[in-house]
């Protein structure tokens, strides 16, 4: 059954056979002809089940589709364009010419047959025998499949016939074959890198790979998979393209195809990289029709097909009316090509009568226009009679393309590469003859095998103005076009060039793509699709690899407290720079606020107000005692100690203000030292009062020697001694390791604490410990003296005041250690105010009550009265 890709055959063969008549280049004067053998059929050479000696000896089945035009120089072509199939070989009967079935397949035997027929006399199959030297081909153009090129090279290389492949080239280890092999196809590594760059550009890191189920596919996987891994791309699956089966293996082939369909279409990968050949498009179209043929529960999803340059649009006749929208938005690589001036018009004028010896155009005509010729063996009831006036331009692009495709452009350049090589060879012979070295060129057969030398070095500009040359490996020096496929409801399509990849360009220009002009598959609503194993990890999260899954698959975990991530898919969260802190979502760093207990905030205002209020009350009490200094009550309580105590309490209330406001060097030096010395004076005054009360009671006993200790000297000595000792501790502290203003960046997440560093924590606690010691002594003495038989025993009130004092400062230490920043400062201010207020209230409020409200009790008799 002829294949719709006869369109390509018609186009390619006309390209080779008549380009020289339609030759826009004036520098090619050699007259050439083309001999083309076009057909691959699954047929063995003569095989029977009976013993070999009983089989008839005959020529192999003939190649039906040929084109030949005589001339001085012969350029041959072996290409696979007609797709037919047969039942499997059972060796029960000899092969028949009735080959046509309903499937397609390829077979190397027909390639070998075509190659040997080139080496035979025209019209007879006698390999290695030529009745005329003119029939010897100087070069052979092969394609488009790699296996066709490989099988042809196995024979042609023995005869040193240069071979030019316009499709994908096979990988061969034979030095002889590689010498005579020239590729109109760049190195495969360039295409592989182009695929990688495209995937990286669109951030497609989760893909499916569909290679051919042959050695070419294996090599493709071996080359591509390491590149994917190195560039952070992984694959969900590698599934080979379903193979075309024999007729009686359809059920098995369909079952295999269904399983592969479930894997491919059920994958979460939206991007599929397909390595194929010319016939792969046929298989792909059948593959995508499986849901309509079989009950497949897997729901089809949108996919981006990335196709290699070896593939092209081709189809079987039965696929003519099939929907082609599956290719809409797909991306393919293609050998760089440009539209050749006049080429489209040249093809469109072709008809059934263009060439009488055209061996395949009749089949093509019937299949393309769905008609039958009057002398055709095709059943006329299957279609109308061909008028033979049909126009090729009327065919949709899915049946016949009249534009210059990449394969057409490669054939065109291949033919002219041979022409220029022949011209260079002819020029070299003329020069050699002129210099007396032309004898070796006397026999024509002795010169053609050297053509490959000139092919390797050929370089010319074609009619489109583009430079054509081969590298040292016989590979065409060119770039790949990136093509975006756009389909239309009328079964036509456009190949839109949206970029290129050029291995010769600088690194920043090797891959160029214009994604703003890209058309995406309909299922993605014209938005660039994602193809990742899972959704991106957003800012504020970090990636963690999933166990047992490819490295592209990961979980997203929130950043730990105090760390952020500000980009997608970060592997680790990180700390903010010093002076900054994470926001609530942990996506960015914010500058920290400077924090200290200021006068502008409610807490600072409240504490300052309380401190000033108690200072005023203390000053008022001091004024009351000074005004009533001559009253018995004031005299009896040691006026000097009372004044000293009230002044120290006044200073302690005012000293609390040093802790409010931004810490400075002076305030940091004064805070704790002033607090320690002032409170030492206050507590020592209380201690002195308590001691005086005890001594005064003891002195009243007959014969007591304590009278000499009762007096101002003792109280002054106690106050001075305690105060000087505390002052000494503070002096040592300031001299060795004084407090200083510092910034605490780490204690609080969102704030920078401006605080006074105590310098030496040991000295700070020494100050507190000395105060605690004084307070404990005072409390103990006052406690034991609280029931002394005086009419007004001050020891009772001192006991209560020191109980409050000690309770406050015992509570202060753990609270102080457990807070930070302004809270810690507020705790100390509160402790100072509370302890000072306790002393002021319990010691002086009863006295002020008597002085101001019960003056009758402020008498000598009452003071001297004993209970």
């Amino acid at each position: 059954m002829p294949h719709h890709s006869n369109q390509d055959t018609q186009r390619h063969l006309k390209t080779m056979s008549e380009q020289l008549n339609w030759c826009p280049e004036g520098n090619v004067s050699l007259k050439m002809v083309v001999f083309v053998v076009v057909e691959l059929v699954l047929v063995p050479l003569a095989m029977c089940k009976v013993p070999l000696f009983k089989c008839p000896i005959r020529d192999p089945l003939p190649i039906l589709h040929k084109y030949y035009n005589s001339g001085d120089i012969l350029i041959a072509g072996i290409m696979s364009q007609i797709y037919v199939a047969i039942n499997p070989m059972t060796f029960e009967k000899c092969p028949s010419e009735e080959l046509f079935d309903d499937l397609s397949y390829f077979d190397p035997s027909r390639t070998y047959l075509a190659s040997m027929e080139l080496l035979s006399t025209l019209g007879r199959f006698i390999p290695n025998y030529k009745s005329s030297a003119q029939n010897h081909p100087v070069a052979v153009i092969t394609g488009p499949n790699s296996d066709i090129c490989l099988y042809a090279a196995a024979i042609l290389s023995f005869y040193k016939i240069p071979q030019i492949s316009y499709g994908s080239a096979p990988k061969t280890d034979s030095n002889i074959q590689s010498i005579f092999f020239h590729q109109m196809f760049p190195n495969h590594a360039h295409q592989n890198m182009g695929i990688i760059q495209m995937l990286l550009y669109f951030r497609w890191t989760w893909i499916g790979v569909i290679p051919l189920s042959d050695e070419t596919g294996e090599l493709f996987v071996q080359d591509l998979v390491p590149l994917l891994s190195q560039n952070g791309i992984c694959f969900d699956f590698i599934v080979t393209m379903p193979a075309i089966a024999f007729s009686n293996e359809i059920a098995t082939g369909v079952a295999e195809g269904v399983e592969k369909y479930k894997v491919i279409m059920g994958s979460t990968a939206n991007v599929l990289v397909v390595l194929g050949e010319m016939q792969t498009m046929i298989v792909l179209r059948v593959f995508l029709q499986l849901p309509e043929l079989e009950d497949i529960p897997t729901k089809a999803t949108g996919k981006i097909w990335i196709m290699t340059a070896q593939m092209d649009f081709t189809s079987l006749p039965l696929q003519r009316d099939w929907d082609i929208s599956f290719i809409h938005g797909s991306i393919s690589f293609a050998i760089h090509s440009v539209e050749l001036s006049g080429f489209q018009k040249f093809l469109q004028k072709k008809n059934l009568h263009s060439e009488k010896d055209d061996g395949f155009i009749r089949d093509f005509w019937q299949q393309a226009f769905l008609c039958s010729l009057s002398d055709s063996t095709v059943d006329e009831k299957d279609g109308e009679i061909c008028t033979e006036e049909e126009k090729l331009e009327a065919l949709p692009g899915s049946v016949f393309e009249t534009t210059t495709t990449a394969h057409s452009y490669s054939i065109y350049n291949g033919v002219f590469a041979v022409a220029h090589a022949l011209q260079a060879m002819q020029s070299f012979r003329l020069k050699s003859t002129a210099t007396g070295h032309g004898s070796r060129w006397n026999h024509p057969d002795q010169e053609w095998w050297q053509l490959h030398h000139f092919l390797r070095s050929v370089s010319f500009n074609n009619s489109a103005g583009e430079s054509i040359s081969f590298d040292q490996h016989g590979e065409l020096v060119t770039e790949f076009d990136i093509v975006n496929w756009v389909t239309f409801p009328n079964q036509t399509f456009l190949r839109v060039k949206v970029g290129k990849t050029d291995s010769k360009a600088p690194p920043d220009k090797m891959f160029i793509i214009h994604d703003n002009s890209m058309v995406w598959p309909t299922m993605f609503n014209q938005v660039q699709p994602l193809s990742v194993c899972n959704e991106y990890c957003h800012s504020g999260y970090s990636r963690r690899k999933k166990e047992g899954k490819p490295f592209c698959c990961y979980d997203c975990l929130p950043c730990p407290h105090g760390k952020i991530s500000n980009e997608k898919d970060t592997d680790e969260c990180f700390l903010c720079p010093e002076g900054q802190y994470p926001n609530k979502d942990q996506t960015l760093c914010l500058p920290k606020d400077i924090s200290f207990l200021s006068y502008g905030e409610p807490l600072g205002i409240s504490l300052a107000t309380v401190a000033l209020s108690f200072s005023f009350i203390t000053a008022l009490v001091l004024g009351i005692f000074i005004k009533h200094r001559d009253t018995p009550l004031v005299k009896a309580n040691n006026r000097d100690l009372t004044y000293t105590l009230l002044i120290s309490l006044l200073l302690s209330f005012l000293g609390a203000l040093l802790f409010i406001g931004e810490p400075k060097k002076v305030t940091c030096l004064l805070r704790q030292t002033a607090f320690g010395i002032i409170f030492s004076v206050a507590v020592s005054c209380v201690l002195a009062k308590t001691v005086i009360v005890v001594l005064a009671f003891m002195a009243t006993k007959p014969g007591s020697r304590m009278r000499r200790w009762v007096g101002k000297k003792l109280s002054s000595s106690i106050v001075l001694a305690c105060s000087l000792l505390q002052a000494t501790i503070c002096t040592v502290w300031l001299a060795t390791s004084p407090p200083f203003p510092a910034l605490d960046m780490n204690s609080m997440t969102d704030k920078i604490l401006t605080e006074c560093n105590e310098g030496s924590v040991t000295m700070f606690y020494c100050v507190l410990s000395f105060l605690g010691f004084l307070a404990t002594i005072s409390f103990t003495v006052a406690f034991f003296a609280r029931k002394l038989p005086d009419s007004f025993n001050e020891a009772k009130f001192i006991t209560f005041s020191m109980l409050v004092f000690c309770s406050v400062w015992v509570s202060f230490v753990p609270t102080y250690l457990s807070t930070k920043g302004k809270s810690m400062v507020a705790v100390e201010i509160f402790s100072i105010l509370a302890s000072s207020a306790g002393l002021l209230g319990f010691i002086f409020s009863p006295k002020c009550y008597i002085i101001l409200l019960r003056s009758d009790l402020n008498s000598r008799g009452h003071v001297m009265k004993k209970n």
Side-chain angles (χ1 to χ4, degrees):
M1 179 181 293
H3 181 279
H4 274 185
S5 63
N6 280 337
Q7 52 179 295
D8 302 305
T9 305
Q10 172 72 9
R11 181 173 62 253
H12 300 339
L13 295 184
K14 295 307 179 185
T15 301
M16 293 199 305
S17 64
E18 298 193 23
Q19 285 284 1
L20 299 179
N21 296 328
W22 168 74
C23 180
E25 302 185 43
N27 60 342
V28 181
S29 58
L30 296 177
K31 181 182 179 183
M32 303 184 192
V33 298
V34 179
F35 171 56
V36 182
V37 179
V38 187
E39 185 171 9
L40 282 185
V41 188
L42 259 185
V43 184
L45 290 179
M47 294 186 183
C48 302
K49 187 175 181 180
V50 295
L52 184 61
F53 62 87
K54 292 184 179 180
C55 288
I57 299 176
R58 59 182 177 85
D59 290 342
L61 297 176
I63 297 175
L64 303 179
H65 298 88
K66 303 177 185 178
Y67 181 84
Y68 177 78
N69 197 0
S70 62
D72 296 335
I73 300 174
L74 181 65
I75 300 177
I78 301 176
M79 55 193 63
S80 172
Q81 299 292 345
I82 305 298
Y83 303 147
V84 296
I86 64 168
N87 290 320
M89 292 173 286
T90 62
F91 300 95
E92 295 178 351
K93 62 179 180 179
C94 293
S96 168
E97 294 186 25
E98 298 175 357
L99 304 171
F100 302 105
D101 199 354
D102 55 353
L103 294 176
S104 301
Y105 207 79
F106 292 92
D107 182 50
S109 64
R110 300 301 283 180
T111 305
Y112 292 131
L113 175 60
S115 302
M116 290 188 291
E117 187 163 321
L118 290 179
L119 305 173
S120 304
T121 300
L122 183 62
R124 299 184 61 186
F125 185 73
I126 308 177
N128 204 28
Y129 175 76
K130 288 285 188 180
S131 61
S132 173
Q134 289 185 345
N135 290 333
H136 192 288
V138 297
V140 178
I141 296 180
T142 60
N145 294 359
S146 59
D147 53 355
I148 305 304
C149 304
L150 180 64
Y151 301 144
I155 293 177
L156 298 177
S157 61
F158 284 122
Y159 292 87
K160 300 181 180 179
I161 300 176
Q163 180 182 350
I164 300 176
S165 170
Y166 70 89
S168 60
K171 185 174 182 179
T172 175
D173 297 328
S174 173
N175 292 330
I176 298 177
Q177 292 183 16
S178 61
I179 289 174
F180 294 94
F181 197 84
H182 305 269
Q183 302 177 28
M184 304 303 295
F185 195 97
N187 192 293
H188 288 277
H190 300 162
Q191 180 171 236
N192 292 343
M193 281 307 303
I195 294 173
I196 297 297
Q197 290 171 324
M198 175 179 292
L199 296 174
L200 293 176
Y201 180 85
F202 290 114
R203 297 183 179 180
W204 293 330
T205 57
W206 183 241
I207 66 170
V209 180
I210 309 176
L212 293 171
S213 55
D214 57 13
E215 184 179 1
T216 302
E218 293 176 2
L219 293 174
F220 175 75
V221 171
Q222 291 176 11
D223 294 340
L224 185 66
V225 168
L227 292 176
L228 294 174
S229 178
Q230 293 167 15
N231 289 275
I233 303 168
C234 46
F235 53 87
D236 185 21
F237 62 84
I238 298 179
V239 174
T240 58
M241 182 64 65
I244 303 176
F246 288 106
S247 299
N248 63 346
E249 297 174 347
I250 292 179
T252 304
V254 170
E256 178 187 357
V258 167
E259 293 303 315
K260 292 185 177 182
Y261 184 93
K262 292 178 181 178
V263 173
I264 294 173
M265 304 309 291
S267 169
T268 56
N270 290 327
V271 174
L272 308 178
V273 178
V274 183
L275 170 71
E277 298 280 10
M278 179 70 78
Q279 78 278 9
T280 302
M281 189 67 73
I282 299 173
V283 183
L284 183 59
R285 297 187 70 183
V286 174
F287 179 73
L288 295 176
Q289 287 290 320
L290 285 177
E292 298 184 10
L293 304 175
E294 299 290 324
D295 184 17
I296 301 178
T298 304
K299 183 180 179 181
T301 57
K303 302 294 182 183
I304 296 289
W305 301 90
I306 297 180
M307 299 176 288
T308 54
Q310 299 92 315
M311 293 181 63
D312 206 340
F313 191 89
T314 187
S315 60
L316 291 170
L318 61 91
Q319 297 174 321
R320 179 181 182 128
D321 297 326
W322 290 7
D323 186 17
I324 63 171
S325 61
F326 76 93
I327 205 174
H328 181 77
S330 297
I331 304 171
S332 68
F333 287 80
I335 303 298
H336 173 68
S337 64
V338 296
E339 188 63 38
L340 296 171
S341 177
F343 183 69
Q344 190 173 34
K345 186 180 295 184
F346 165 75
L347 287 179
Q348 289 176 351
K349 71 179 182 180
K350 294 299 161 184
N351 54 54
L352 282 169
H353 309 293
S354 298
E355 298 293 339
K356 65 177 182 178
D357 293 329
D358 196 331
F360 62 90
I361 193 170
R362 296 175 64 83
D363 287 334
F364 163 76
W365 206 266
Q366 293 176 103
Q367 299 295 340
F369 292 103
L370 299 178
C371 63
S372 58
L373 298 172
S374 57
D375 59 345
S376 174
T377 59
V378 178
D379 191 347
E380 294 184 5
K381 69 179 181 181
D382 293 336
E384 299 178 356
I385 300 298
C386 298
T387 64
E388 303 187 16
E389 298 297 330
E390 292 83 4
K391 300 296 183 182
L392 292 177
E393 63 264 28
L395 294 172
S398 58
V399 176
F400 185 77
E401 293 181 78
T402 58
T403 56
T404 307
T405 65
H407 283 153
S408 298
Y409 191 69
S410 296
I411 293 174
Y412 169 82
N413 289 326
V415 170
F416 276 97
V418 175
H420 281 276
L422 287 169
Q423 189 176 51
M425 186 174 178
Q426 179 72 4
S427 299
F428 181 80
R429 187 178 72 169
L430 294 174
K431 290 179 182 178
S432 299
T433 302
T435 56
H437 299 286
S439 58
R440 62 177 181 172
W441 299 95
N442 290 337
H443 197 287
D445 286 342
Q446 294 180 354
E447 62 184 47
W448 301 125
W449 68 271
Q450 300 187 31
L451 183 63
H452 71 278
H453 292 294
F454 297 91
L455 272 172
R456 285 289 171 95
S457 59
V458 71
S459 178
F460 64 94
N461 290 336
N462 62 14
S463 62
E466 295 203 324
S467 177
I468 305 299
S469 61
F470 298 94
D471 62 15
Q472 68 272 20
H473 303 294
E475 297 168 342
L476 182 67
V477 180
T478 188
E479 60 195 37
F480 285 102
D481 290 331
I482 300 175
V483 176
N484 186 210
W485 293 72
V486 182
T487 64
F488 302 97
N490 62 352
Q491 294 292 83
T492 60
F493 57 80
L494 289 178
R495 306 171 193 249
V496 182
K497 293 181 181 179
V498 293
K500 66 177 182 178
T501 173
D502 187 359
S503 61
K504 307 183 300 301
D508 59 332
K509 295 183 178 179
M510 289 181 63
F511 179 82
I512 299 175
I513 193 166
H514 308 290
D515 55 343
N516 56 344
S517 60
M518 292 282 293
V519 173
W520 302 108
T522 307
M523 295 188 72
F524 296 110
N525 297 320
Q526 283 305 305
V527 177
Q528 178 191 323
L530 294 176
S531 190
V532 291
C533 182
N534 43 259
E535 289 292 331
Y536 293 124
C537 287
H538 299 289
S539 300
Y541 292 82
S542 62
R543 300 188 301 185
R544 290 293 181 275
K545 185 181 180 302
K546 289 184 179 180
E547 293 297 328
K549 295 288 185 179
F551 64 86
C552 294
C553 303
Y554 45 80
D555 292 317
C556 298
L557 302 180
C559 288
H561 180 70
K563 293 186 176 183
I564 72 159
S565 65
N566 54 7
E567 294 180 355
K568 293 179 181 178
D569 282 349
T570 54
D571 292 323
E572 296 292 340
C573 299
F574 58 89
L575 294 170
C576 287
E578 193 174 38
Q580 298 182 13
Y581 72 98
N583 65 341
K584 182 179 179 181
D585 297 328
Q586 296 180 272
T587 58
L588 55 89
C589 293
L590 301 175
K592 290 184 176 182
D593 295 328
I594 303 296
S595 176
F596 56 88
L597 184 61
S598 69
Y599 288 103
E601 60 183 297
L603 180 60
I605 295 173
S606 301
L607 292 174
T609 302
V610 171
L612 291 174
S613 299
F614 277 113
S615 299
F616 176 76
I617 293 172
T618 305
L620 184 62
V621 172
L622 179 61
I624 291 172
F625 271 72
I626 291 174
K627 183 179 180 180
H628 298 86
R629 62 184 177 276
D630 295 327
T631 61
L633 182 62
V634 175
K635 288 181 179 179
N637 284 279
N638 197 327
R639 284 180 299 188
D640 292 339
L641 281 179
T642 300
Y643 295 155
T644 303
L645 177 58
L646 286 171
I647 292 172
S648 63
L649 290 176
L650 175 63
L651 291 177
S652 67
F653 286 127
L654 294 175
L657 299 177
L658 291 173
F659 291 84
I660 305 175
E662 184 177 3
K664 302 292 183 181
K665 184 176 182 180
V666 175
T667 57
C668 285
L669 290 172
L670 293 178
R671 277 183 182 183
Q672 305 295 358
T673 54
F675 153 72
I677 294 173
I678 291 171
F679 260 74
S680 295
V681 172
V683 176
S684 62
C685 288
V686 173
L687 177 61
K689 275 180 170 291
T690 307
V691 171
I692 292 299
V693 170
V694 173
L695 291 178
F697 173 76
M698 295 176 66
T700 58
K701 294 180 179 181
S704 175
R705 298 180 180 180
M706 292 297 174
R707 290 188 178 209
R708 59 183 178 181
W709 295 101
V710 179
K712 292 183 178 180
K713 288 184 179 181
L714 178 61
S715 60
S716 299
S717 298
I718 292 173
V719 172
L720 287 175
C722 294
S723 301
L724 286 175
L725 185 57
Q726 183 72 295
T728 301
I729 296 173
C730 292
T731 302
V732 173
W733 184 7
L734 295 177
T736 56
S737 181
F740 58 91
L743 298 178
D744 184 356
M745 301 283 190
N746 303 316
S747 294
M748 298 188 70
T749 303
D750 57 346
K751 294 183 179 0
I752 298 176
L753 302 181
T754 303
E755 59 185 8
C756 287
N757 188 298
E758 307 303 346
S760 173
V761 177
T762 302
M763 298 304 296
F764 172 65
Y765 284 106
C766 284
V767 170
L768 292 180
S769 298
F770 183 73
L771 285 176
F773 171 75
L774 290 180
T776 302
I777 295 299
S778 299
F779 172 74
T780 302
V781 174
F783 179 78
F784 287 110
R786 71 188 187 282
K787 294 184 178 181
L788 292 177
D790 288 339
S791 60
F792 187 78
N793 189 355
E794 194 177 17
K796 289 181 180 179
F797 305 108
I798 292 175
T799 300
F800 285 114
S801 66
M802 295 313 298
L803 180 62
V804 172
F805 186 92
C806 292
S807 299
V808 168
W809 287 104
V810 168
S811 302
F812 162 78
V813 174
T815 308
Y816 183 83
L817 294 176
S818 63
T819 55
K820 292 289 184 182
K822 62 178 67 176
S823 299
M824 183 175 67
V825 176
V827 166
E828 187 166 2
I829 295 174
F830 175 80
S831 299
I832 293 173
L833 295 178
S835 57
S836 300
L839 292 175
L840 179 65
F842 283 102
I843 292 176
F844 292 100
S845 59
K847 297 180 177 62
C848 290
Y849 171 76
I850 293 174
I851 293 172
L852 297 177
L853 300 178
R854 295 294 304 273
S855 58
D856 58 311
L857 299 178
N858 190 5
S859 63
R860 181 178 178 82
H862 186 75
V863 170
M864 298 298 295
K865 183 180 178 180
K866 296 183 179 180
N867 295 324

